[in-house]
Amino acid sequence: MKKLFISLLLFVFFSVQSFAQANLKAIDAYINKAQKDWNVPGLAVAIVKDGKVVHAKGYGVKELGKADKVDEHTLFAIASNSKAFVSSAIGTLVDQGKLNWKDKVKSHLPYFELYDHYASEEATVEDLLCHRLGLGTYSGDAIWYKSTFSAEEVVRRIKYVPQAYGFRDGYGYSNLMFITAGEVIKSVTGKTWAEYVDQTFIQPLGMSRTITSTNDLLAKGNYATPHKAVRNENIVVDWVNWDNMGAAGGIISSVSDMAKWMNFQLVNGKIGNEQVLEYNTQANLWTPHNSYLVTESQKQNRPGVNFRGYGLGWAVSDYHGRRVIAHGGGYDGMYSRVLMVPEENLGIVVLTNGMRGISGTITDFVVDKYLGLEEINYSEEALKNMSYPMYDRIDAIKAKHVPNTQPSLSLDDYVGTFYTPMYGDIHIKKGSNGLLLEFEDAPLLMASLTHWHYDTFEIKWDVEHAWFDFGTVQFEFDQSRNITGIKIDVPNNDIFFHELELKKVESK
């Protein structure tokens, strides 16, 4: 009987081992196929389980048309996955007694202002980290995007961003509030958010390839090239410096390094024997502070999910009775995702050099494999429903183009300076071949203007931009046919030029 019992134990042990190995092979095959099916030039994936890195691998190439392969050490922008580093950094300052979650933001940044006095006075440090302060999703991002404004200058302009919903009465994903959180860290510590995060997490965890600025890419080497997605086509775009919004999305890392970050989170904030982030503090980061509706269709598409919300720098939900702690990231030409299931001591990170939603289909597949659930080909299902809403909007605008019209004024009459408090000055100038569009504080947004129809001109950007391309400038007039302002319409889902209410302040 004893021999039979031992034999059964050995059978179960080797069956589990074989299943785990088969699991990883199936995952690897799935990722390989998905990378090709989604037409993503390159990506890397790491999986940690029970404190160990069980998978860390690159797929595809660093740059379309070149032979260099992605590996587990290749650098990608993790974009908004940086937010968890910043919220965790603030958590350590709470643990040290240097600030409190309920501190008023203005007690650390007296110049901080929102759309009204009450919101400005009552906003807390905690509020900054959970997207509930009344600003719309991505609203105001046009202030920092490719601009020369410092982080402090960006924060000083937030008061001009329009209110979208009631104070603490909704959800609007706000990069501006995390930029503000970075400035709070600087105020409290005397160090930039990047310096503090580097000294507190990156160096102690041995994340030796992780950097906080594109300025350090060349020195590190082995980095991927960003690619814009234009329907089924990939177009190489330049790396863009995000230093002025770095606290919201500036970290650049590899899956090998991010595996260390996930393991730090999964052991409840310990590095070696040191408790860097207290247990209750991390629990607060992982507690929903801003819940949002899970619709019936969402439940059908993802059975096992009953609630969703945002903690502090992390999205929080459930899945078949387990907590899921996750976040996505979107940078110019790169998407990423981090997902952890603490009860399973499981973490997955996906970094890509393309702008297609492949990362969620990988993390979901991996989680199901480890939970022993029925296999669903999330990649295949998502590809069936692939859409290109931005380009559909552009097509709709182009379909209404009226040919054979003429501008009502001479080109010289359109020249002038146009101002909005949120942003500053934008100039329309006369060039050798027509009109020019010039953002005074964002020289990377230079463009020429060609006549579209009537008093509307098409924007021809000097360089390729990842988040947008086609756009128009429409001139506005008073009853005497004097130009009073311009409206910039650039269809996209992230950088809202239409928020800039530009009024003419100077002729020629």
Side-chain angles (χ1 to χ4, degrees), residues 91-395:
T92 65
L93 296 175
V94 172
D95 291 341
Q96 296 165 27
K98 294 181 177 179
L99 58 72
N100 190 286
W101 294 117
K102 302 299 182 184
D103 282 356
K104 299 296 193 288
V105 178
K106 285 186 75 70
S107 70
H108 298 287
L109 305 177
Y111 57 82
F112 173 77
E113 289 185 61
L114 290 169
Y115 43 82
D116 68 28
H117 179 74
Y118 180 81
S120 303
E121 295 295 324
E122 293 300 312
T124 67
V125 171
E126 188 177 72
D127 289 328
L128 295 176
L129 305 175
C130 56
H131 307 302
R132 66 186 183 194
L133 279 176
L135 302 185
T137 293
Y138 306 137
S139 187
D141 279 357
I143 300 172
W144 61 261
Y145 186 68
K146 294 190 177 181
S147 79
T148 58
F149 298 135
S150 67
E152 180 179 326
E153 287 172 322
V154 171
V155 173
R156 287 182 180 275
R157 293 172 184 270
I158 291 173
K159 62 185 177 182
Y160 300 113
V161 179
Q163 182 178 6
Y165 57 88
F167 180 72
R168 294 188 189 141
D169 191 31
Y171 177 86
Y173 189 90
S174 179
N175 288 313
L176 296 180
M177 294 302 98
F178 273 82
I179 296 171
T180 305
E183 292 304 284
V184 169
I185 292 173
K186 184 177 180 180
S187 173
V188 171
T189 68
K191 303 171 183 176
T192 66
W193 75 270
E195 291 168 338
Y196 187 77
V197 163
D198 185 65
Q199 294 168 15
T200 306
F201 303 123
I202 294 174
Q203 290 187 37
L205 285 168
M207 298 173 67
S208 59
R209 288 192 49 73
T210 298
I211 55 180
T212 56
S213 173
T214 56
N215 295 332
D216 299 322
L217 275 172
L218 285 176
K220 287 292 181 183
N222 188 11
Y223 53 87
T225 296
H227 296 79
K228 174 181 181 176
V230 182
R231 290 199 163 98
N232 292 319
E233 183 183 3
N234 292 304
I235 298 174
V236 171
V237 293
D238 293 332
W239 278 87
V240 178
N241 184 281
W242 276 19
D243 285 2
N244 65 350
M245 67 84 67
I251 293 176
I252 298 164
S253 190
S254 67
V255 295
S256 179
D257 274 9
M258 289 298 290
K260 297 172 184 177
W261 171 247
M262 291 189 297
N263 273 330
F264 164 73
Q265 294 288 329
L266 290 167
V267 296
N268 302 116
K270 291 184 74 174
I271 300 178
N273 294 321
E274 183 182 359
Q275 193 72 48
V276 176
L277 192 63
E278 294 297 329
Y279 178 86
N280 287 340
T281 302
Q282 188 188 55
N284 191 38
L285 302 181
W286 288 0
T287 296
H289 289 68
N290 195 353
S291 297
Y292 31 86
L293 177 69
V294 181
T295 66
E296 191 59 35
S297 63
Q298 287 173 330
K299 288 182 180 180
Q300 291 174 3
N301 291 334
R302 190 76 168 122
V305 176
N306 296 291
F307 81 86
R308 283 178 174 158
Y310 201 89
L312 303 178
W314 288 105
V316 184
S317 64
D318 69 331
Y319 187 58
H320 290 282
R322 284 89 161 174
R323 285 180 303 163
V324 174
I325 312 299
H327 213 287
Y331 171 83
D332 296 55
M334 294 184 171
Y335 284 173
S336 60
R337 185 163 178 79
V338 173
L339 185 148
M340 299 180 296
V341 186
E343 285 76 13
E344 300 295 327
N345 207 5
L346 173 68
I348 311 112
V349 57
V350 182
L351 306 179
T352 81
N353 64 353
M355 297 180 74
R356 305 184 195 281
I358 186 176
S359 54
T361 72
I362 293 173
T363 55
D364 291 351
F365 184 86
V366 172
V367 168
D368 284 3
K369 278 292 184 186
Y370 274 96
L371 296 185
L373 301 175
E374 180 181 353
E375 183 171 309
I376 299 173
N377 193 326
Y378 294 103
S379 174
E380 189 176 277
E381 291 299 313
L383 283 168
K384 288 178 185 175
N385 300 312
M386 177 71 77
S387 62
Y388 305 94
M390 184 180 89
Y391 289 100
D392 291 343
R393 287 163 62 191
I394 290 172
D395 287 346

